[in-house]
Amino acid sequence: MFSSSLPFLSLLSFFSFVIPSIVEVHAAINVTVDNSDPGILYRPLGSWSLDDSYDSGATDHFTGDQDAWAAFNFTGIAVYYLVHLYPSSLPTGGMISLDGGPAVAVTMWNPDRDSYGRQWETVWSAANLTNTTHMLNVSWWPNQLNQFISLDTIMYTIDNETDATSAGSAQPTASGADFGSSTTSSSNNTVPIVYSSSSNYEKLRRLQLRILLR
Ligand SMILES: *[C@@H]1O[C@H](CO)[C@@H](O)[C@H](O)[C@H]1NC(C)=O
Ligand SMILES: *[C@@H]1O[C@H](CO)[C@@H](O)[C@H](O)[C@H]1NC(C)=O
Ligand SMILES: *[C@@H]1O[C@H](CO)[C@@H](O)[C@H](O)[C@H]1NC(C)=O
Ligand SMILES: *[C@@H]1O[C@H](CO)[C@@H](O)[C@H](O)[C@H]1NC(C)=O
Ligand SMILES: *[C@@H]1O[C@H](CO)[C@@H](O)[C@H](O)[C@H]1NC(C)=O
Ligand SMILES: *[C@@H]1O[C@H](CO)[C@@H](O)[C@H](O)[C@H]1NC(C)=O
Ligand SMILES: *[C@@H]1O[C@H](CO)[C@@H](O)[C@H](O)[C@H]1NC(C)=O
């Protein structure tokens, strides 16, 4: 075993010595975009509402308007759409597209649970994107069931190129990407969501109001 792994180890130590001096480091960093971010375009104006009444402190923008959509531009190499899934009484979802491509139907509720999701869940994502500006668009999914679209959190990954001209480190990992870091500190995946019946009633009340006003 030792003799067969020796050539590999030699190669590894050769590269750990050489690579940091000739290759730039690509650091992938997730950027978290809150639903109140001014970069998100909500249309039609006024049909989206902020819900900040969740007991946990989570927030989202939601709408029951079938003409509604929201769009966000970002420059990066991956993007994630995260929501705290809505409960069984509130069917929720949307059609998500990237750069005007085909829209994908995305479920944003859990028919088996009578409370809001306890944590963020990635309900849609796209990876391996070119490091250019992309536009995400979420719009109404007309499936005869949905009552809402929820826009909770968008996360995108930037490819932060940094110079690595100093060859001081002999760590093999010095030539690898620095995955796992994040610029976000205010949000995390472990926020406990306590079922809030008041926000359910509030949503249904607003939906009924909107239907009455049609
Ligand atoms: C995204 O950028 C394109 C091209 O500049 C622009 O037409 C579009 O309005 C932008 N969308 C948003 C949501 O800002
Ligand atoms: C991205 O590219 C990697 C490497 O080619 C591949 O393994 C992975 O499945 C791709 N991911 C997506 C979402 O296409
Ligand atoms: C987003 O998608 C909706 C539904 O397809 C469309 O009406 C709207 O024009 C799109 N917005 C942008 C900025 O492309
Ligand atoms: C990107 O890298 C530069 C240079 O190392 C650093 O100053 C900057 O803070 C990084 N950007 C982010 C968002 O971490
Ligand atoms: C990706 O694009 C951003 C913004 O244009 C730029 O700052 C960054 O250096 C690019 N990353 C790479 C690896 O080219
Ligand atoms: C960014 O966040 C997504 C979703 O949580 C995760 O799958 C991905 O690994 C993260 N990427 C980085 C570079 O941290
Ligand atoms: C996650 O957020 C909750 C609520 O804001 C907070 O109590 C908890 O300490 C946070 N956990 C971490 C690891 O940041």
Side-chain angles (χ1 to χ4, degrees):
M1 288 305 283
F2 177 74
S3 56
S4 69
S5 62
L6 197 54
F8 172 70
L9 284 175
S10 311
L11 206 61
L12 193 66
S13 47
F14 170 75
F15 275 110
S16 64
F17 174 72
V18 172
I19 284 180
S21 63
I22 56 170
V23 175
E24 77 275 358
V25 173
H26 290 246
I29 300 161
N30 272 350
V31 177
T32 303
V33 180
D34 181 73
N35 59 80
S36 290
D37 191 289
I40 302 174
L41 203 62
Y42 289 105
R43 291 291 182 275
L45 279 171
S47 81
W48 290 81
S49 307
L50 170 72
D51 192 338
D52 59 359
S53 68
Y54 302 106
D55 295 343
S56 64
T59 67
D60 75 343
H61 271 69
F62 71 97
T63 178
D65 183 348
Q66 309 207 355
D67 297 325
W69 55 269
F72 178 70
N73 280 353
F74 64 94
T75 300
I77 54 171
V79 60
Y80 305 85
Y81 196 94
L82 302 104
V83 299
H84 295 81
L85 293 176
Y86 274 40
S88 57
S89 56
L90 302 174
T92 298
M95 302 295 297
I96 299 184
S97 69
L98 195 64
D99 303 331
V104 175
V106 177
T107 298
M108 303 178 188
W109 65 298
N110 186 337
D112 300 324
R113 212 157 52 192
D114 62 2
S115 57
Y116 283 94
R118 284 191 176 76
Q119 58 187 40
W120 282 339
E121 283 174 45
T122 301
V123 290
W124 176 91
S125 67
N128 294 340
L129 307 176
T130 55
N131 188 34
T132 52
T133 299
H134 301 280
M135 182 169 67
L136 180 152
N137 184 341
V138 61
S139 60
W140 190 256
W141 173 10
N143 65 356
Q144 309 299 317
L145 188 65
N146 280 343
Q147 296 175 0
F148 302 108
I149 309 172
S150 169
L151 200 162
D152 183 321
T153 300
I154 297 168
M155 203 178 262
Y156 66 95
T157 310
I158 59 172
D159 188 358
N160 195 20
E161 192 178 15
T162 57
D163 283 338
T165 41
S166 71
S169 169
Q171 296 286 328
T173 51
S175 60
D178 175 25
F179 290 105
S181 53
S182 172
T183 57
T184 179
S185 56
S186 58
S187 316
N188 61 53
N189 282 357
T190 56
V191 181
I193 303 286
V194 180
Y195 179 60
S196 164
S197 56
S198 62
S199 61
N200 276 3
Y201 292 137
E202 177 62 14
K203 279 199 174 73
L204 289 171
R205 196 184 61 77
R206 289 190 213 180
L207 183 68
Q208 280 155 4
L209 260 179
R210 200 165 281 127
I211 290 165
L212 282 174
L213 291 173
R214 268 197 186 141

